[in-house]
């Protein structure tokens, strides 16, 4: 189904509201037409047949039209805004619904959340689908119909004239303008894209710009781009001016043409002269319906673009699915083991496997570290356990069963994940914590905070658990965020703990505080930690060294150091200068 | 100093004036048009004229229509020209100002917001300048012109029009501010609800892993519905004002039609005159109604303009030119004496009475807990900030006497999180020294330990980096930054946490590069990782803005204290008051 049809189908649940709004919109313009037309008739008639009593009907219509116009306008705006918000809600819900099964895979494929931010912007754009595109188009059609029908009462010739002119003005001109503007439009968009990227670089990369003494260079490039944009904008302004002029002249020309055709009809007695003014004003007033069509054309182009992007994302097939018959997960509280059996895995867009024939067993309640350079495959192991993807060969086993046999939700319920970039939601501390356990009582929340070492911080914050954090609230430091993630994981109380470089972005002191809390969290759980910070490695039961997707070494910290292989090299590289043993930590 | 938000740059004034003038001329054309129209209709209706009788007038009507259209088009072009010019001037102005105010300023503001201002924000100024402002003038000028023309024909109608006209803008302002109040009060709630969807989408990964995905779908629906209800409530008052506007306008037209009709009945007025007045009446109110409609779009632009004025009014670092012949010569001795700096709005100074000397051809390391003031010190040396008290000298010459851009040519910086610009890898490395030869480029990358991974890239030096390009790991980006610094070859080198995001192998590669870099230069290294700084000739320990210890690695270890604690790693650090 084409994008435009699908977009229209989005409005189906609101068709009655949309119809009402269209009717109101039409009424609004029809009232205006009635008001002006009847006023013209009124004064013509007053000259013609000077009897006050004969004017009562036109006067009444004029009064009525005043009220209905204003009332219709108000009602139409309420209804169409309500409709727009409802459409927005529907779009958002729909998109979110479709995104959930696509996660985490969809996030890994598209970098830096760029896709998702654009998605949100596209949804925002599409909310205007009704009010900027559908409604003006239908109202214009209806009004054209009403005008033509009214004219037809007087003379088919006049009706045809009115129809043709309105169609030319309403559809012909915007179409022409879009043709003229197309090349300029795309070129301008491109230039603006370049300018925006350059502006972003200049502002966000300012320390580097200044450090490299490149200010003049950057300003120069911005100036050049801006000049190019200026030239394109002038072209675009010309097109816009022509469009305006054409639209304006259509109105004048339409009235002129109708007059040209009507005068001989009056002379021949086919049309009464008293109606001339009425017809002229009626036609002029009806052009109000054609005004928003130019913008509607432009918007429809953007809407199609947004719709195409949107559907491309939500139409994607999920990378993983629930099994037809799900196995029940082990009872809560049972320790869970983790096994990789000959796993080979390649990311969908890549050629080289990220993991090759990886096999290991992590018994329940034990702790294992995954070590290796960036890109060695540590994160890929974790992604497979999270079932972002399925391996192409081999199997991942949780509690001795292939992970694919569990329902996705059940499998993930067995995992608690902490990675290096904990996302804090725009919400209270309480709400952020409750993600781990929605039914947790405040007591449970405080207990988790104590355990994680964040309780004092929260107590010292005004509003405590109700303090608003996240983008629009307080910003938490890196360490505070990780401690919050730890508290949240404690509340979830899952048997398996997956850690992906949890202290990577922290300074050495904060790192220790967080590691302390992490080790408290690890108690009694099966733990898999990916890290390249080789700190406190003797506390791990086993260490797996990955290189280019393969396990190259396996063993305890001491055994690996003795073996003098890759691990020993990494460890030495990290601690090259110091002779002191850095790894002693108070338990 | 800058004027308040009504500030319109010089080169936009002429086009804007022209736009208003053309608009008034267009109104005159309309008046002519309506005059001819009413004359023609009256002739045909009352005098039974034929088409050939009125043909000259018809031609005149056609010409008037063409004239009107041409003037309208020209007006549009003039208005757009004004906003095009404004956008360019404002944008360049903004960037220049931001570059002068430097990262100290952008640090305090959210860079994301500044980027939005510079890009989308200034684009919206167009709606304010080219649509709203001329409309304001026209909504005063046009109706007055029409009323002036009607006045000699019919005093009563003219008076009626003039009396009703001001009511509309008054109502608009009144109802508009009431609605704004309403919206303002709800603003925090509305803006949170509006941002909720983006938040849910950005945190999608977390929610799914916690099994909260489906709950969130419901929440999205619920919050969207609440947003709808609240917004409608807030908008209701704005709509009421629209209602009153329409009503008043329509009623006015009705009243005028009726009073014209009554006088026609009594034969007190000729038909063509009455029709003329009736035809002009909707035209009279049109600019006022257009003003109401364009107000909203105009307000967005005005907000951007206000923000622009705010940003550009902030004081920038004073730029004084260096007197010729007084440029410092390498090697540098940098001395800080009694330097104190406090961030605006901070309770405590970031640095207090700090005295430190960086000796030529040595490495000074600065260590200390987060927030101790280390980066502040670096920024002071780079003249991104100016000390509140105390002085910084280079070879005895006060830094204050040098203009910042001149000084920075002598400083190379390896930042904590290097920024990779949209461009090729080559362009990124050559950033500091665009004229460097290919040889030097290669050499710099080799020393920085970046040669291996650059050759592994599909397009090697021409690989595109930045937002839309290849993603380099933190370690690779750091090595690019080091290559930049190597190429710049400046006598003073500042390295801010050069190894904090690196895996052990990358860290080792970087340390090797540092050995090369730190020869014959004055170097300041800021670090958390002790193994990065242990070989420095001088280590200064910064705590709560003060230097508490200075010495070498061994001497500091021996004396115990904060440094020793940092090395041994304890989570209990006492922070000095």
């Amino acid at each position: 189904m084409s994008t435009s049809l699908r977009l229209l189908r989005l409005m189906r649940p609101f068709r009655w509201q949309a119809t009402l709004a269209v009717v109101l919109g039409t009424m609004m313009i029809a009232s205006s037409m009635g008001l002006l037309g009847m006023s013209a008739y009124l004064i013509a008639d007053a000259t013609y047949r000077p009897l006050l009593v004969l004017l009562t009907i036109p006067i009444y219509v004029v009064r009525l039209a005043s009220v209905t116009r204003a009332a219709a306008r108000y009602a139409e705006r309420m209804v169409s805004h309500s409709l727009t918000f409802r459409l927005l809600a529907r779009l958002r819900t729909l998109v979110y619904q479709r995104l959930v099964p696509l996660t985490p895979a969809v996030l890994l494929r598209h970098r830096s959340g760029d896709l998702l931010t654009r998605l949100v912007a596209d949804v925002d754009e599409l909310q205007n689908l009704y009010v900027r595109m559908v409604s003006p188009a239908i109202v214009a059609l209806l009004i054209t119909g009403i005008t033509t029908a009214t004219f037809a009462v007087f003379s088919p010739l006049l009706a045809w004239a009115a129809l043709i002119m309105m169609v030319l003005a309403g559809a012909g001109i915007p179409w022409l303008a879009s043709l003229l503007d197309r090349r300029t439009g795309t070129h301008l968009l491109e230039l603006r894209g370049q300018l925006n990227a350059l502006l972003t670089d200049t502002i966000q990369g300012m320390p580097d710009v200044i450090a490299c003494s490149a200010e003049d260079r950057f300003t120069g490039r911005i100036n050049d781009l801006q000049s190019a944009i200026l030239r394109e904008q002038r072209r675009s302004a010309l097109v816009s001016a022509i469009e305006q002029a054409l639209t304006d002249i259509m109105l004048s020309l339409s009235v002129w043409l109708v007059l040209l055709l009507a005068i001989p009809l009056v002379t021949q007695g086919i049309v009464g002269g008293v109606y001339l003014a009425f017809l002229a004003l009626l036609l002029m007033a009806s052009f109000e319906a054609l005004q928003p069509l130019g913008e509607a054309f432009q918007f429809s182009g953007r809407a199609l673009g947004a719709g195409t992007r949107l559907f491309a994302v939500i139409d994607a097939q999920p990378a993983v699915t629930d099994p037809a018959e799900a196995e029940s997960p082990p009872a809560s509280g049972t320790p869970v083991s983790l096994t990789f059996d000959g796993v080979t895995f390649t990311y969908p867009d890549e050629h080289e496997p990220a993991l090759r024939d990886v096999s290991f067993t992590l018994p329940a309640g034990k702790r294992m570290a995954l070590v290796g350079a960036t890109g060695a495959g540590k994160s890929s192991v974790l992604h497979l356990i999270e079932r972002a993807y399925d391996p192409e060969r081999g199997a991942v086993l949780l509690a001795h069963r292939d992970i694919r046999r569990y329902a996705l939700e059940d499998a993930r319920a067995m995992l608690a994940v902490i990675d290096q970039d904990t996302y804090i939601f725009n919400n209270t501390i309480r709400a952020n914590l409750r993600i781990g356990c929605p039914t947790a009582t405040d007591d449970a929340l405080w207990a988790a905070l104590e355990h994680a070492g964040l309780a004092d911080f929260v107590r010292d914050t005004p509003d405590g658990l109700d303090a608003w954090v996240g983008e629009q609230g307080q910003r938490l430091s890196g360490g505070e965020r990780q401690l919050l993630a730890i508290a949240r994981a404690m509340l979830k109380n899952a048997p398996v703990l997956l850690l992906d470089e949890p202290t990577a972005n922290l300074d050495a002191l904060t790192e220790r505080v967080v590691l302390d809390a992490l080790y408290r969290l690890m108690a009694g759980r099966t733990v898999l930690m990916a890290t390249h910070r080789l700190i406190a490695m003797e506390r791990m039961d086993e260490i797996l060294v990955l290189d280019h997707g393969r396990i190259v070494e396996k063993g305890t910290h001491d055994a690996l150091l003795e073996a003098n292989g890759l691990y020993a090299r990494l460890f030495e590289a990290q601690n090259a200068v110091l002779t002191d043993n850095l790894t002693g930590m108070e338990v | 100093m800058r004027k308040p938000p009504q500030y319109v740059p010089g080169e936009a004034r002429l086009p804007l004036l022209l736009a208003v003038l053309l608009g008034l001329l267009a109104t005159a054309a309309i008046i002519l048009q309506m005059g001819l129209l009413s004359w023609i209709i009256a002739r045909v209706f009352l005098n039974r004229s034929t088409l050939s009788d009125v043909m000259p007038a018809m031609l005149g009507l056609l010409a008037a229509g063409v004239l009107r259209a041409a003037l309208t088009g020209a007006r549009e072009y003039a208005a757009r020209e004004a906003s095009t010019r404004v956008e360019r001037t404002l944008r360049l102005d903004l960037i220049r100002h931001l570059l002068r105010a430097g990262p100290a300023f952008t640090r305090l503001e959210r860079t994301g917001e500044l980027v939005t201002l510079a890009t989308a924000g200034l684009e919206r100024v167009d709606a304010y300048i080219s649509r709203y402002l001329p409309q304001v003038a026209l909504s005063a000028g046009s109706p007055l012109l029409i009323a002036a023309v009607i006045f000699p024909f019919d005093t009563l109608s003219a008076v009626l029009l003039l009396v009703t006209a001001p009511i509309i803008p008054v109502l608009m302002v009144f109802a508009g501010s009431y609605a704004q109040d309403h919206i303002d009060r709800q603003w925090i709630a509305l803006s949170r609800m509006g941002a909720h969807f983006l938040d849910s989408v950005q945190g999608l990964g977390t929610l799914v892993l916690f099994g909260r995905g489906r709950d969130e779908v419901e929440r999205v629906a619920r919050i969207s519905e609440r947003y709808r209800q609240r917004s409608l409530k807030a908008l209701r008052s704005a709509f009421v004002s629209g209602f009153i506007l329409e009503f008043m306008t329509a009623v006015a037209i009705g009243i005028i039609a009726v009073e014209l009709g009554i006088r026609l009945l009594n034969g007190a007025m000729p038909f063509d005159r009455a029709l003329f007045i009736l035809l002009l009446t909707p035209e009279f109110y049109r600019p006022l109604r257009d003003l109401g409609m364009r107000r909203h779009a105009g307000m967005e632009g005005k907000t951007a303009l206000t923000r622009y004025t705010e940003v550009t009014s902030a004081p920038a670092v004073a730029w004084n030119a260096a007197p010729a012949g007084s440029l410092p010569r390498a090697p540098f001795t940098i001395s800080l004496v009694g330097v104190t700096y406090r961030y605006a709005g901070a309770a405590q100074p970031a640095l207090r009475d700090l005295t430190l000397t960086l000796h030529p051809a040595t490495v000074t390391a600065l260590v200390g807990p987060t927030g101790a003031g280390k980066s502040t010190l670096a920024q002071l040396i780079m003249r991104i900030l100016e000390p509140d008290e105390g002085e910084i000298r280079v070879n005895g010459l006060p830094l204050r006497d040098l203009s910042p851009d001149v000084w920075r040519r002598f400083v190379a910086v390896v930042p904590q999180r290097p920024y990779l610009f949209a461009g090729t890898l080559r362009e990124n490395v050559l950033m500091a020294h665009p004229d460097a030869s290919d040889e030097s480029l290669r050499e710099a990358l080799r020393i920085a330990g970046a040669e291996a991974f650059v050759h592994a890239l599909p397009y090697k030096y021409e690989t595109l980096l930045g937002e839309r390009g290849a993603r380099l790991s933190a370690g690779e980006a750091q090595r690019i930054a080091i290559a930049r610094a190597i190429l710049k070859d400046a006598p003073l080198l500042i390295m801010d946490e050069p190894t904090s995001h690196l895996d052990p192998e990358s860290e080792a590669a970087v340390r090797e590069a540092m050995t090369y870099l730190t020869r014959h230069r004055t170097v300041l290294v800021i670090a958390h990782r002790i193994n990065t700084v242990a070989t420095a000739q001088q280590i200064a320990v910064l705590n709560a803005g003060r230097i508490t210890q200075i010495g070498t690695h061994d001497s500091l270890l021996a004396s115990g204290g904060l440094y020793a604690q940092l090395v041994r790693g304890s989570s209990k650090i006492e922070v000095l008051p």
Side-chain angles (χ1 to χ4, degrees):
Chain A
M1 202 190 304
S2 75
T3 312
S4 17
L5 276 178
R6 280 182 79 177
L7 284 175
L8 287 175
R9 273 193 78 198
L10 282 173
M11 302 211 39
R12 248 185 119 230
F14 316 116
R15 54 191 184 284
W16 294 121
Q17 244 189 320
T19 311
L20 179 63
V22 162
V23 164
L24 287 168
T26 311
M27 251 178 74
M28 188 178 97
I29 299 183
S31 305
S32 169
M33 286 161 64
L35 176 66
L36 288 170
M38 277 317 235
S39 301
Y41 177 76
L42 182 74
I43 63 173
D45 209 31
T47 317
Y48 199 53
R49 298 181 293 168
L51 281 173
L52 186 56
V53 66
L54 291 172
L55 296 176
T56 42
I57 294 183
I59 291 179
Y60 179 71
V61 170
V62 163
R63 287 218 195 110
L64 182 65
S66 317
V67 175
T68 55
R69 165 134 182 134
R73 177 119 202 255
Y74 177 81
E76 191 269 336
R77 289 186 81 187
M78 286 300 284
V79 172
S80 57
H81 271 80
S82 174
L83 184 59
T84 300
F85 288 134
R86 273 194 222 266
L87 183 59
L88 180 64
R90 173 148 205 258
L91 278 169
R92 286 179 170 172
T93 316
L94 182 71
V95 164
Y96 209 77
Q97 231 169 10
R98 298 281 185 91
L99 276 181
V100 167
L102 295 174
T103 316
V106 71
L107 294 172
L108 298 173
R109 291 185 69 167
H110 301 271
R111 290 190 238 106
S112 77
D114 184 38
L115 165 89
L116 297 177
T117 324
R118 225 175 12 153
L119 201 68
V120 171
D122 283 340
V123 166
D124 274 341
E125 178 99 53
L126 284 174
Q127 74 177 302
N128 293 314
L129 189 68
Y130 170 77
V131 102
R132 292 238 182 111
M133 198 175 98
V134 173
S135 167
I138 299 182
V139 169
L141 272 171
L142 286 174
I143 293 290
T144 307
I146 292 176
T147 310
T148 311
T150 314
F151 272 54
V153 169
F154 294 87
S155 148
L157 178 65
L158 292 180
W160 276 109
L163 180 64
I164 292 174
M165 291 310 269
M166 285 188 85
V167 167
L168 274 177
I173 292 182
W175 178 77
L176 187 70
S178 77
L179 272 186
L180 289 171
D181 206 29
R182 185 166 300 164
R183 250 193 50 201
T184 317
T186 33
H187 195 198
L188 196 58
L189 263 176
E190 214 185 274
L191 285 172
R192 278 204 186 276
Q194 284 177 23
L195 180 67
N196 288 355
L198 186 55
L199 287 168
T200 310
D201 271 354
T202 312
I203 295 178
Q204 289 191 332
M206 193 173 296
D208 295 60
V209 172
I210 289 184
C212 296
S213 304
E215 296 102 313
D216 286 335
R217 251 174 294 146
F218 272 73
T219 327
R221 274 164 66 189
I222 292 176
N223 199 5
D224 290 337
L225 264 179
Q226 192 69 70
S227 300
I229 288 180
L230 194 101
R231 286 193 291 273
E232 289 300 319
Q233 274 179 321
R234 286 207 173 120
R235 241 170 261 161
S236 179
L238 191 61
V239 171
S240 181
I242 292 176
E243 189 185 352
Q244 275 268 340
L246 283 177
T247 311
D248 197 70
I249 210 175
M250 282 310 282
L251 175 60
S252 305
L253 209 57
S254 307
V255 175
W256 189 83
L257 185 66
V258 162
L259 210 55
L260 191 72
L261 294 172
I263 292 178
L265 292 175
V266 170
T267 312
Q268 294 163 29
I270 300 176
V271 174
V274 72
Y275 297 111
L276 268 181
F278 166 76
L279 289 172
L281 268 138
L282 193 79
L283 188 60
M284 286 199 284
S286 68
F287 264 66
E288 184 190 346
L290 304 178
Q291 240 176 32
L293 289 178
E295 224 191 67
F297 247 78
Q298 287 180 351
F299 176 78
S300 69
R302 292 204 309 270
L304 273 178
T308 313
R309 284 193 292 270
L310 198 77
F311 292 136
V313 171
I314 65 181
D315 282 346
Q317 287 299 328
V320 296
T321 45
D322 274 327
E325 289 226 9
E327 289 219 13
S328 50
S332 68
T334 330
V336 168
S337 69
L338 179 65
T339 308
F340 264 51
D341 186 17
V343 167
T344 299
F345 168 68
T346 312
Y347 283 98
D349 294 326
E350 310 215 336
H351 304 294
E352 295 294 309
L355 294 174
R356 296 169 210 257
D357 201 26
V358 170
S359 299
F360 65 84
T361 306
L362 177 57
K366 297 290 182 196
R367 302 171 188 170
M368 182 180 275
L370 285 175
V371 162
T374 325
K378 311 191 291 288
S379 297
S380 310
V381 167
L382 296 176
H383 292 154
L384 287 179
I385 302 175
E386 293 165 6
R387 269 202 92 191
Y389 299 99
D390 286 326
E392 58 200 59
R393 265 199 299 252
V396 176
L397 302 164
L398 264 184
H400 305 294
R401 275 194 219 99
D402 191 325
I403 207 177
R404 286 171 280 207
R405 309 237 295 261
Y406 296 116
L408 282 167
E409 231 178 71
D410 292 332
R412 290 180 185 144
M414 288 192 254
L415 312 171
V417 180
I418 298 182
D419 55 28
Q420 52 185 299
D421 272 317
T422 302
Y423 188 79
I424 301 291
F425 289 89
N426 238 330
N427 214 317
T428 57
I429 294 183
R430 179 184 281 116
N432 268 282
L433 286 172
R434 280 230 179 109
I435 292 175
C437 176
T439 52
T441 59
D442 272 13
D443 286 335
L445 296 180
W446 281 113
L449 286 170
E450 286 283 357
H451 231 71
L454 201 57
D456 285 330
F457 170 80
V458 178
R459 263 192 284 268
D460 287 339
T461 315
D463 296 331
L465 281 177
D466 290 307
W468 203 276
V469 289
E471 252 294 312
Q472 297 186 343
Q474 222 184 335
R475 305 212 92 199
L476 299 177
S477 75
E480 287 152 2
R481 271 194 286 172
Q482 298 304 79
L483 291 179
L484 188 68
I486 291 173
R488 192 169 64 188
M490 273 186 195
L491 285 166
K492 186 171 184 186
N493 201 17
V496 177
L497 184 59
L498 300 179
L499 304 170
D500 194 350
E501 317 234 9
T503 59
N505 294 337
L506 306 176
D507 64 81
L509 294 167
T510 319
E511 180 175 41
R512 299 214 182 259
V513 172
V514 170
L515 276 176
D516 276 346
L518 271 177
Y519 276 102
R520 285 196 291 275
L521 176 62
M522 287 185 202
R525 292 179 225 274
T526 313
V527 180
L528 187 58
M529 177 162 85
T531 178
H532 59 55
R533 296 281 298 141
L534 305 176
I535 299 245
M537 288 284 118
E538 334 71 69
R539 308 190 59 188
M540 291 283 136
D541 296 310
E542 194 169 17
I543 300 175
L544 239 54
V545 183
L546 287 168
D547 188 30
H548 288 100
R550 271 189 233 275
I551 301 183
V552 293
E553 287 180 2
K554 212 191 276 201
T556 65
H557 171 77
D558 293 321
L560 288 176
L561 279 184
E562 261 196 51
N564 222 343
L566 179 57
Y567 181 82
R569 262 192 5 241
L570 289 172
F571 189 73
E572 241 199 64
Q574 180 178 286
N575 304 304
V577 179
L578 289 170
T579 49
D580 282 315
N581 190 350
L582 258 187
T583 60
M585 263 197 58
E586 289 98 71
V587 175
Chain B
M1 254 290 95
R2 303 270 188 202
K3 283 189 271 184
Q6 286 79 44
Y7 174 68
V8 174
E11 61 267 31
R13 294 206 187 118
L14 183 60
L16 270 183
L17 223 60
L18 206 60
V20 174
L21 193 65
L22 289 167
L24 287 174
L25 284 174
T27 305
I30 291 175
I31 294 175
L32 180 64
Q33 200 185 27
M34 296 304 164
L36 284 167
L37 185 61
S38 51
W39 188 87
I40 292 171
I41 290 181
R43 281 280 169 282
V44 174
F45 168 42
L46 293 173
N47 301 46
R48 302 188 185 285
S49 300
T50 60
L51 185 54
S52 39
D53 292 333
V54 296
M55 196 39 109
M58 282 292 277
L59 290 173
L61 182 62
L62 188 61
V66 171
L67 183 66
R68 166 183 161 170
L71 287 167
T72 309
R75 183 191 92 184
E76 169 76 6
Y77 189 82
R80 291 280 289 264
E81 176 67 14
S83 71
T84 304
R85 292 188 189 182
V86 165
E87 196 189 325
R88 177 170 72 166
T89 309
L90 290 185
R91 190 165 277 142
L92 284 174
D93 232 13
L94 180 68
I95 289 294
R96 276 200 202 105
H97 190 96
L98 285 177
L99 282 171
R100 266 182 212 207
F105 178 79
T106 54
R107 214 187 68 121
L108 297 171
E109 316 289 320
R110 300 230 185 108
T111 52
E113 193 249 328
L114 284 174
V115 168
T116 309
L117 176 65
T119 55
L122 288 182
E123 278 176 42
R124 293 220 182 87
V125 172
D126 163 60
Y128 178 68
I129 301 259
S130 75
R131 304 225 171 279
Y132 184 68
L133 283 186
Q135 197 62 35
V136 172
L138 278 176
S139 55
S142 256
L144 277 176
L145 182 60
I146 292 178
V149 167
I150 290 181
F151 199 77
F153 289 97
D154 181 25
T155 322
L156 176 60
S157 300
V159 166
L160 265 173
L161 287 173
L162 283 173
V163 158
T164 50
I167 297 181
I168 293 172
V170 161
L171 265 176
M172 240 175 48
V173 167
F174 179 70
S177 61
Y178 179 74
Q180 195 55 46
D181 249 11
H182 218 84
I183 292 180
D184 281 344
R185 257 180 284 142
Q186 308 235 22
W187 189 76
I188 292 186
L190 279 175
S191 108
R192 275 190 186 146
M193 284 196 266
H196 171 255
F197 184 60
L198 181 62
D199 196 38
S200 307
V201 167
Q202 285 178 331
L204 186 56
T206 310
L207 290 173
V208 166
L209 285 175
F210 274 90
R212 299 277 89 80
R214 262 197 300 206
D215 292 344
E216 193 65 14
V217 171
E218 280 172 32
R219 255 190 100 222
V220 166
R222 230 182 20 235
I223 291 191
S224 299
E225 171 63 18
R226 255 195 298 157
Y227 181 75
R228 180 187 75 90
Q229 288 172 353
R230 282 223 193 175
S231 302
L232 278 181
K233 239 168 66 173
L235 288 172
R236 198 163 291 167
S237 30
F239 294 162
V240 165
S241 82
F243 171 86
I244 297 178
L245 182 79
E246 284 296 335
F247 188 65
M248 299 277 336
T249 315
V251 162
I253 293 176
I255 290 178
I256 288 184
V258 169
E259 57 91 358
L260 285 173
I262 290 177
R263 274 180 298 151
L264 278 168
L265 266 182
N266 303 334
M269 177 181 282
F271 173 69
D272 60 353
R273 194 179 298 180
L275 184 57
F276 179 55
I277 293 172
L278 185 67
L279 284 171
L280 283 180
T281 304
E283 283 304 323
F284 178 85
Y285 291 108
R286 199 158 55 94
L288 293 163
R289 284 168 54 208
D290 280 351
L291 187 69
M293 286 196 305
R294 290 179 175 184
R295 195 160 177 260
H296 176 70
M299 286 307 107
E300 284 190 337
K302 191 171 181 205
T303 315
L305 203 54
T306 313
R307 186 74 184 109
Y308 157 85
T309 314
E310 251 177 47
V311 169
T312 49
S313 313
V317 172
W319 294 71
N320 29 6
S326 65
L327 290 175
R329 238 172 276 254
F332 287 166
T333 306
I334 312 280
S335 33
L336 297 102
V337 181
V339 168
T340 304
Y341 184 80
R342 180 205 295 269
Y343 284 101
Q348 303 289 338
L351 293 175
R352 293 171 221 245
D353 199 27
L354 192 130
T355 301
L356 179 65
T357 307
L358 309 178
H359 298 284
T362 67
V363 177
T364 304
L366 203 57
V367 301
T370 326
K374 306 190 293 295
S375 291
T376 311
L377 187 58
Q379 292 190 319
L380 283 167
I381 296 179
M382 281 184 63
R383 285 209 76 193
I384 292 174
L385 303 171
E386 293 292 319
D388 294 328
E389 284 167 34
E391 201 174 47
I392 306 180
R393 289 169 190 266
V394 50
N395 291 355
L397 182 75
L399 259 192
R400 236 179 272 261
D401 288 349
L402 289 173
S403 86
D405 59 341
V406 168
W407 168 237
R408 286 183 202 135
R409 280 186 237 143
F410 295 111
V411 184
V413 177
V414 179
Q416 244 187 73
R417 284 184 193 253
Y419 192 83
L420 296 177
F421 299 94
T424 61
L425 191 136
R426 176 197 300 270
E427 285 167 0
N428 265 279
V429 180
L430 291 179
M431 181 88 6
H433 193 169
D435 306 321
S437 65
D438 252 18
E439 277 246 353
S440 330
L441 171 68
R442 241 171 283 156
E443 183 67 5
L445 284 170
R446 189 187 63 81
I447 299 173
E451 203 172 30
F453 84 80
V454 170
H455 276 277
L457 291 171
Y459 296 103
K460 304 200 203 317
Y461 298 119
E462 313 307 325
T463 311
L464 272 178
L465 301 178
E467 257 298 312
R468 303 186 192 171
R471 262 279 197 87
L472 297 186
S473 72
E476 290 162 350
Q478 206 100 52
R479 278 174 272 176
I480 299 277
I482 291 177
R484 271 186 199 154
I486 292 174
L487 258 189
K488 191 167 186 188
D489 199 23
L492 175 60
L493 173 65
I494 300 180
M495 304 181 88
D496 193 351
E497 305 278 357
T499 56
S500 58
H501 302 295
L502 305 187
D503 57 76
E505 293 218 312
S506 304
E507 203 179 327
V510 166
R511 258 211 303 281
E512 290 234 358
M514 274 173 64
T515 346
Y516 169 87
L517 266 180
T518 53
R519 276 182 284 154
H520 312 305
R521 260 177 259 271
T522 315
V523 181
L524 176 67
V525 179
I526 300 174
H528 288 129
R529 303 266 187 98
I530 303 304
N531 48 9
T532 312
V533 304
T535 48
Q537 280 82 25
Q538 177 182 231
I539 301 178
V541 180
L542 198 61
N543 192 1
R546 275 190 234 274
I547 295 188
T548 52
Q549 294 180 294
I550 294 191
T552 63
H553 172 76
D554 294 320
S555 73
L556 289 176
L557 262 190
S559 65
L562 185 53
Y563 184 78
Q565 282 181 318
L566 287 169
V567 169
R568 293 212 169 83
S570 157
S571 41
K572 298 184 191 57
I573 305 285
E574 34 170 307
V575 176
L576 298 179

